[in-house]
Every structure is written in structure tokens, then in C-alpha cells.
Amino acid sequence: MNIKSDKSKGYVRAEPVRQFGALCLRTMSDGPEVLLITTRETKRWMIPKGWPIRGLRPHKVAEREAWEEAGVIGKVSRKLFGRFRYSKILCNGLEVEPVVDVYLLKVRRRKKQFPEMTERNVAWMKPEEAARRVKNPELKKILLGVGS
């Protein structure tokens, strides 16, 4: 977490911890499907997401995370689709609550081999099923907004 101090005003303000995520979509004959992955440590269902990368705009970070974590290639939107928060314990034991900016990614194809393929499960499902599987209420709402 970044801490900014403003000595002229006499306070220390915590900047929100940011991440960027990809809501990966494909269109099937019976409607849209979204892609979920499992997290590495807890194996909870989630969307691909990651920390800011110097030199990359947020939507491009989301696109890269989708490739690394799920093997998807597609067109990512520059427009913010949604935002959610979740709790995360860092390797140093500090608990933070990142704000995840979510960008839609229309999937063109999915590769069988990708960087984190041995660390995660990947599954396509209808948005309603995805919303049932994720624990985070804010992410559930975003998933239910797909196709509406």
C-alpha cells in the first residue's frame, strides 16, 4: 500500500491499492459465457487480475493478466466495465483491500499452454453460474451485468 504524507496539512493518507482485471467473454448460441480462474493459494473462483505494470495502461495490464493466468487472447476494451474490492494478505502478512478495475475482453482464442497453466483451473460458464461460484458480492454484481 502506498502511503502519501502531506506535511503542510499534517496528515498521512493511504492511497488505495489498485489492481486491474479482465472479464473474459465469448458468445455462444445460447448467450454469453464468462471465464473464471481459480486463485493460486485459496483456489477460489475469480477473474484474471494483477498489479499495475509500469509503462502499461490499465486495460493492457488486464489483457496481459488474462493471457498469463488463463491463456486467452482477444480484444480488450479501454472503457472501465466495473470495479470491486476484495481482501488479500500479502506475503509479508499485511492485509490489504485492493480496488480492482475491470475491463471487458472479447476472447478470440484460448491457448492450451500459457504461463500459469499448472497453477490454476480455468472454466467457461454462464454469467449466472459464475456469480454463484464467486464469493465477492461486488464481483457477483459485475458478472450478473454481463449481457444485460
Side-chain angles (χ1 to χ4, degrees):
M1 176 159 24
N2 297 329
I3 304 293
K4 287 207 171 177
S5 128
D6 187 337
K7 293 179 184 173
S8 66
K9 295 182 182 175
Y11 68 87
V12 175
R13 176 173 54 95
E15 290 289 322
V17 177
R18 302 305 292 262
Q19 287 192 318
F20 307 110
L23 181 48
C24 303
L25 298 170
R26 70 179 182 184
T27 303
M28 305 302 284
S29 60
D30 60 344
E33 288 186 341
V34 297
L35 182 136
L36 291 184
I37 62 170
T38 54
T39 60
R40 285 191 279 209
E41 288 83 25
T42 63
K43 300 299 181 193
R44 287 181 298 177
W45 289 104
M46 179 57 71
I47 62 170
K49 61 179 172 37
W51 302 105
I53 299 170
R54 187 180 304 259
L56 283 186
R57 295 180 57 168
H59 68 285
K60 288 298 194 177
V61 173
E63 180 180 50
R64 180 180 288 185
E65 294 300 328
W67 157 247
E68 291 177 357
E69 296 180 356
V72 298
I73 298 169
K75 179 151 177 62
V76 67
S77 173
R78 293 177 185 212
K79 184 180 175 191
L80 183 67
F81 183 74
R83 185 175 279 145
F84 71 95
R85 291 168 290 138
Y86 76 104
S87 292
K88 179 172 184 68
I89 298 175
L90 302 176
C91 56
N92 64 4
L94 181 67
E95 184 173 356
V96 295
E97 193 172 75
V99 174
V100 182
D101 290 346
V102 178
Y103 298 87
L104 290 179
L105 188 146
K106 292 186 180 183
V107 176
R108 291 185 182 132
R109 65 183 185 269
R110 184 165 172 265
K111 298 281 194 169
K112 290 184 180 181
Q113 294 189 352
F114 53 94
E116 296 182 16
M117 61 189 240
T118 61
E119 302 172 59
R120 301 177 187 280
N121 295 321
V122 179
W124 286 104
M125 57 196 80
K126 295 296 178 194
E128 299 79 15
E129 175 63 21
R132 281 192 292 275
R133 290 194 188 195
V134 300
K135 303 277 187 232
N136 184 289
E138 294 173 348
L139 181 54
K140 284 179 188 286
K141 189 173 180 179
I142 291 170
L143 290 165
L144 291 171
V146 171
S148 56

